[in-house]
Structures are given as structure tokens and as C-alpha cells.
Amino acid sequence: GLGLGILAGNVPALAVQVALPALAVGRPVLLKSSRREPLLAAALVHLLTRARPELATAVAAATWPGGDSSLEEELLATARTVVAYGGRAALSDLGRRHDELVGRGPMVSLAVVGRDAAIAPTAAGLARDVALFEQRGCLSVVAVWVEGGNDASEAEAADAMADAVAGELCSLADRWPPPRRDAATLAAVQQMRRDAELRGARVLPLEVAVGSVVSESDPHYRPVPEARFVRVHPTGALERLPPTLSPLAGHVQGVALAGERAWSLAEDLERLGVRRLARPGELQRPDALWANGERHLIEELV
């Protein structure tokens, strides 16, 4: 039966996550690209069929306005499995129209820094995980918890990491120039910066285009806009961190872990539903075997 992959436009390469598992299990697949990013899926199909001409009848790419029932009714009736990436509203709509939907909805990713981690390389990796794909991907880091102790208090450790991450974001802005932000995003950034200041948090003096780093005074998670915006939280002994993160259970895709002490939390984080653990700077580099859901797409498509 046909596999239909409905791709979001937030990050590139989602076409690879759908096409390769489908072809590996012998399922023909149609890739529906977002109008925000209509090029990569078509390029992938071109490369695959040029290398293996016999795949020309097994994989294809197209773009159309999502949610158009006049276009999608026959396709959804024909498709055996629909793999879709998108927001909750889009997935809910598809779920009403197809019985075998494999949905990949919005998730967040975090970081934990143990007191045994070196600041400079950790900050460089975290800045990469924040800036890559402009925080639009489920593996983009939006918040960091830093363990205090030894030579620094909890607040001092968080401040030191915030300073280091801010410096790295400034360096990345030269190598990876940020895109132009729309008015709504800029307004959200300014509002969240001001809110943090009113709560007594430390907002580092960065240009909005470069990013935003907030050294928080409490350990609890707060959302951020997609604009290289990261919150750095203090925490005491890391053993006390999992209960703090428990309200996020089932909504965290990945966690970047810095230091052996942070890696000691691996089992606790997996029990919270975290699906990927990696070192800072490597979180957004999963290989083809990574399952970004409860099951790998190969299992879903068999």
C-alpha cells in the first residue's frame, strides 16, 4: 500500500526520514512538501531515481495547499499509512480523515549541565543546538539547567554558563546570519525579555537579531519564541532535577547532556519520554536509525 509523507516546512531533511524507511520495507511513497520548503524532497527523489532508475515508480514528491480536501480526499483514501509532521490542529484534522495516521507533533528539547562539565566546549555545543534551524525543530534546545556546587553557587553557575552561551551565539551570528524576524516574533521576544527582567531574571545585553539569553532565578520551565532564545536555569544536585521536569513528561524530544553527572540522569529522562540523548552540539545530528516517535518509522510502515 501507498505511504504518504506530509512534511512540515520548519526544518529540512524530513523527506529523508520518511522516504528511506518506506523504500527499505518496499513501500511506495509520495512526499508532500510544505510550500515553505518545496525543494529538498524533489531533489531527494531526483537523486534517488537517477542512481536507481527502477525507483521511478516507487517514490515521488509534490506540493499542494495542505488541508485542501478536494485534492487530498482520493489520496487519503488510497494511502495505507500517512506519516505527518505538523502542529496539533493539522494532525487532528488528518486524524479525522485517515485511520492509520502516524503523527509527529510539536516537541521541545532541553539541556542539562553537570558541575563536572567544562564551560567553554559545553557553551559552544549548546549555542549550536540553539541556533541550528532557528529553534524550529523538535531537537532545538530552548532551556538549559546548570548544576551548582563545588566552587560556584547555583546562581553563579547558571550566570557563568549564560555568559558563555551568549558569547557563542554572538560568534555564530557571523557564521550563520540570523534570518529577518517578522513583527510578531520580535514583539514576543521583547515581551519575554521584559517579563524576565520584571521577575528579577538576568537578561544578557544581546541584539535581538543575535539571540536572547536569560539567566533565570528559578528552575521551572518557561516557553520561548523561535528566535535563538534560550533560558538558563539554576539547579542544585542533579538528582533533584527529574521532579522539576516531570510536568514536561511526554513533550520533550531530546536532552543534551554535558558531563558524567548529567549522563547519570539518562534513565530518569527516558522514563519521562525523552527519545534522544546526546552531547551538546550533537543533539540535532541523529542518524537514520533514530526513532523520533515511540516506534521507528520502519516498524510503523511494515
Side-chain angles (χ1 to χ4, degrees):
L2 176 69
L4 174 61
I6 299 179
L7 312 175
N10 56 335
V11 296
L14 289 177
V16 178
Q17 288 191 10
V18 180
L20 298 189
L23 295 176
V25 300
R27 295 282 297 278
V29 61
L30 172 62
L31 304 170
K32 187 267 183 192
S33 295
S34 163
R35 287 180 293 174
R36 291 171 58 187
E37 199 291 282
L39 303 177
L40 193 138
L44 174 66
V45 169
H46 173 71
L47 290 172
L48 286 171
T49 55
R50 186 175 68 179
R52 297 290 184 189
E54 63 271 25
L55 292 178
T57 57
V59 58
T63 305
W64 64 85
D68 188 331
S69 59
S70 64
L71 290 172
E72 295 175 347
E73 183 177 355
E74 187 172 350
L75 259 181
L76 291 173
T78 303
R80 176 181 166 189
T81 305
V82 177
V83 179
Y85 298 80
R88 292 183 179 88
L91 294 180
S92 177
D93 175 64
L94 284 167
R96 287 193 296 269
R97 293 190 287 150
H98 196 278
D99 293 333
E100 195 170 332
L101 174 70
V102 180
R104 297 289 188 259
M107 304 279 277
V108 299
S109 285
L110 316 171
V112 179
V113 180
R115 59 174 176 252
D116 56 335
I119 290 181
T122 298
L126 291 176
R128 183 186 189 280
D129 287 334
V130 168
L132 188 61
F133 305 135
E134 303 301 324
Q135 287 186 312
R136 293 171 184 159
C138 61
L139 292 174
S140 298
V141 167
V142 298
V144 182
W145 279 262
V146 182
E147 182 185 31
N150 292 342
D151 298 329
S153 68
E154 296 172 22
E156 290 170 338
D159 278 343
M161 185 55 63
D163 288 335
V165 170
E168 293 294 338
L169 284 176
C170 288
S171 298
L172 276 178
D174 293 330
R175 288 181 283 143
W176 297 349
R180 179 174 295 180
R181 314 288 184 193
D182 59 36
T185 300
L186 293 174
V189 169
Q190 296 290 17
Q191 182 176 351
M192 289 190 180
R193 283 187 174 195
R194 183 59 177 155
D195 173 75
E197 290 172 344
L198 292 174
R199 290 187 289 101
R202 177 172 168 248
V203 179
L204 277 75
L206 295 177
E207 294 182 12
V208 172
V210 169
S212 300
V213 179
V214 176
S215 185
E216 294 282 358
S217 55
D218 69 74
H220 298 100
Y221 170 80
R222 293 173 183 270
V224 304
E226 296 174 351
R228 304 191 186 188
F229 195 122
V230 62
R231 300 185 190 273
V232 182
H233 300 268
T235 185
L238 291 183
E239 294 79 6
R240 301 202 302 266
L241 184 57
T244 302
L245 301 180
S246 61
L248 297 173
H251 299 284
V252 180
Q253 185 76 292
V255 177
L257 298 171
E260 291 184 11
R261 288 185 55 76
W263 278 94
S264 70
L265 298 178
E267 291 185 5
D268 290 322
L269 294 172
E270 288 171 348
R271 280 194 288 270
L272 291 177
V274 177
R275 294 162 183 162
R276 177 164 169 77
L277 302 172
R279 294 179 177 81
E282 299 178 7
L283 193 62
Q284 302 205 64
R285 290 169 147 178
D287 61 24
L289 297 179
W290 174 60
N292 68 343
E294 293 182 7
R295 299 196 304 169
H296 196 283
L297 279 182
I298 285 181
E299 296 179 69
E300 302 279 11
L301 290 166
V302 167

